Amino acid sequence: MKRNRFLYTVLAIILGILIGSIILLVSGTNPIEAYKVIFFGAFGKPKYISWTIVKAVPLILTGLSVAFAFNTGLFNIGAEGQYIVGSIGALVVGLLVDLPPVLHGLVALLAGALCGYIWGAIVGILKAKFEVNEVISSIMMNWIGFYLSNYLLSFPILRNIESDNSYSIKNTASIKILGAWKTSEAGRAVLANNKFLRDILNPPVNFGIIIAIVAALVIWYILKKTTLGYELRAVGFNDKAAEYGGISINKSIVTSMGIAGILAGLAGAITVLGVSGNIGIMAGQEGYGFDGMAVALIAGNNPLGTIPAALLYAGLTYGGGKLTTIGTYSEVVKIIVGIMILFIAMPKLLDMIRFFSNKWSKKDPDKVNKGGANE
């Protein structure tokens, strides 16, 4: 089953690329040239690789959030809201609290994770206690988080009037790799003589990639190797049987949504502490939570699979932004990703494609026999 899922994912990616090639041809663009631009635009230079990794980190974590909930029988459509409140929690601690370096960043990360947990757990409580469908409540929580973020920026203690953004977090809360060293006299001297190192560090490379990989390993371990993971998956597979076995369904639902919220909240915290350094008034939701759903689907809801899936998604979107250099709209990448997800969501269609491809690749035994008899 796992082997089939992996093959179907690869097939869906290939089909997405092939159909994307047709779309590019129709629009008058050479698909080989376009895919070359996308690939080298994402991985062609150290600076591009760094940016691809930076953009993949929140996708790994929001993808993990969605995948974890799905493995426990829940649909976490609220990763976007959990991401937003996670960024709010990290900003408040990173801006208003005085702590020494390293410890400040860790506490701010924990604050973001805690806010994400609360946001996810609320959805779990609504489902466990009041039987509110988690899809509906999590979507509503997305909008509450969105407007809450904009509302908080109306307070002078947080908002920088000159830029319509919040004030930037303190340097002690930053989780950028070698952040303070880059601006020191010794750091500038080293970077001035080392182009490769300068290209790697100029993007906001941060410790988020390490956190994301560790989170993926921890979630995989929880689901596959622990009693908690067994109980959560049992409730998702058959809640009545799990209840008969002595597992608390309500507790499992709240725990599952809370853990999913922690992951998405961490994504928001890492973005503030390691990339932007602040939050701004939003005209619309940023979409990291919804992109995380796409990453989870591409990964087949496998926690470890979210890492390559997020890198693929980030590479396509970041490299795809450079398609304008050859006169092509970058939105074609969204079409390609959408086609991939469409095929991944239709395993029966892929079964048919696989069946007919196998049938056509085999020789008709009757024709072989007739040929032998005629000879």
Side-chain angles (χ1 to χ4, degrees):
M1 181 67 180
K2 291 182 180 178
R3 182 172 174 271
N4 286 346
R5 178 176 292 179
F6 175 75
L7 290 174
Y8 287 167
T9 300
V10 172
L11 179 58
I13 292 171
I14 293 172
L15 288 171
I17 292 172
L18 289 176
I19 296 175
S21 299
I22 296 172
I23 295 170
L24 288 166
L25 283 171
V26 171
S27 65
T29 303
N30 185 335
I32 295 177
E33 184 182 358
Y35 287 127
K36 190 175 177 181
V37 168
I38 292 173
F39 180 80
F40 286 104
F43 304 106
K45 295 181 180 179
K47 183 177 181 179
Y48 296 164
I49 295 173
S50 294
W51 270 113
T52 300
I53 292 173
V54 167
K55 292 182 178 297
V57 168
L59 297 177
I60 294 172
L61 289 166
T62 54
L64 269 175
S65 176
V66 175
F68 178 82
F70 189 84
N71 274 286
T72 62
L74 298 169
F75 292 95
N76 181 26
I77 315 298
E80 181 71 19
Q82 296 149 17
Y83 171 93
I84 292 172
V85 297
S87 66
I88 294 172
L91 172 77
V92 170
V93 173
L95 175 61
L96 303 180
V97 177
D98 287 315
L99 287 170
V102 180
L103 178 62
H104 198 177
L106 288 173
V107 173
L109 283 171
L110 289 174
L114 176 62
C115 290
Y117 171 83
I118 293 171
W119 224 244
I122 289 173
V123 174
I125 292 170
L126 289 173
K127 181 178 179 66
K129 298 295 185 182
F130 305 103
E131 298 184 359
V132 178
N133 187 284
E134 74 274 16
V135 173
I136 296 172
S137 59
S138 59
I139 290 174
M140 295 300 101
M141 294 298 286
N142 285 343
W143 288 106
I144 295 172
F146 169 76
Y147 288 114
L148 175 64
S149 176
N150 285 350
Y151 171 70
L152 289 176
L153 289 185
S154 66
F155 291 88
I157 194 171
L158 294 178
R159 183 179 176 185
N160 184 346
I161 303 298
E162 296 177 359
S163 65
D164 268 355
N165 293 338
S166 70
Y167 292 105
S168 295
I169 61 169
K170 296 175 180 175
N171 290 333
T172 52
S174 174
I175 61 169
K176 292 180 182 178
I177 296 176
L178 305 177
W181 179 80
K182 285 169 57 181
T183 57
S184 68
E185 186 176 344
R188 287 196 299 268
V190 172
L191 293 176
N193 299 318
N194 193 320
K195 185 178 184 303
F196 178 82
L197 190 61
R198 185 169 67 250
D199 288 344
I200 284 286
L201 295 180
N202 271 341
V205 179
N206 56 72
F207 290 102
I209 184 61
I210 299 173
I211 296 170
I213 292 172
V214 170
L217 290 170
V218 169
I219 292 301
W220 175 85
Y221 184 82
I222 289 174
L223 286 173
K224 302 296 182 182
K225 303 293 183 180
T226 66
T227 303
L228 173 63
Y230 174 80
E231 291 179 352
L232 295 178
R233 287 188 293 114
V235 171
F237 183 74
N238 190 323
D239 57 347
K240 299 301 181 184
E243 186 176 31
Y244 182 78
I247 299 172
S248 173
I249 297 177
N250 289 347
K251 181 182 177 182
S252 295
I253 291 172
V254 176
T255 301
S256 177
M257 289 303 302
I259 293 174
I262 287 173
L263 295 166
L266 267 177
I270 288 170
T271 300
V272 169
L273 302 174
V275 183
S276 64
N278 57 36
I279 61 175
I281 294 177
M282 295 181 288
Q285 296 179 17
E286 294 185 75
Y288 281 112
F290 301 111
D291 289 343
M293 294 171 62
V295 168
L297 280 169
I298 294 172
N301 293 306
N302 185 314
L304 298 180
T306 58
I307 299 172
L311 287 170
L312 171 66
Y313 193 97
L316 283 171
T317 52
Y318 178 63
K322 298 177 174 63
L323 284 175
T324 54
T325 59
I326 59 172
T328 302
Y329 293 108
S330 60
E331 285 77 5
V332 71
V333 172
K334 294 288 186 181
I335 298 174
I336 293 170
V337 172
I339 293 169
M340 291 178 185
I341 295 170
L342 183 65
F343 280 114
I344 290 172
M346 295 191 299
K348 292 296 182 183
L349 177 61
L350 295 179
D351 275 335
M352 292 173 60
I353 293 172
R354 186 181 178 192
F355 171 78
F356 285 113
S357 63
N358 288 338
K359 184 176 180 181
W360 292 332
S361 65
K362 293 178 181 178
K363 293 183 179 180
D364 190 339
D366 292 335
K367 290 183 179 180
V368 173
N369 291 334
K370 288 178 182 177
N374 291 335
E375 289 175 359

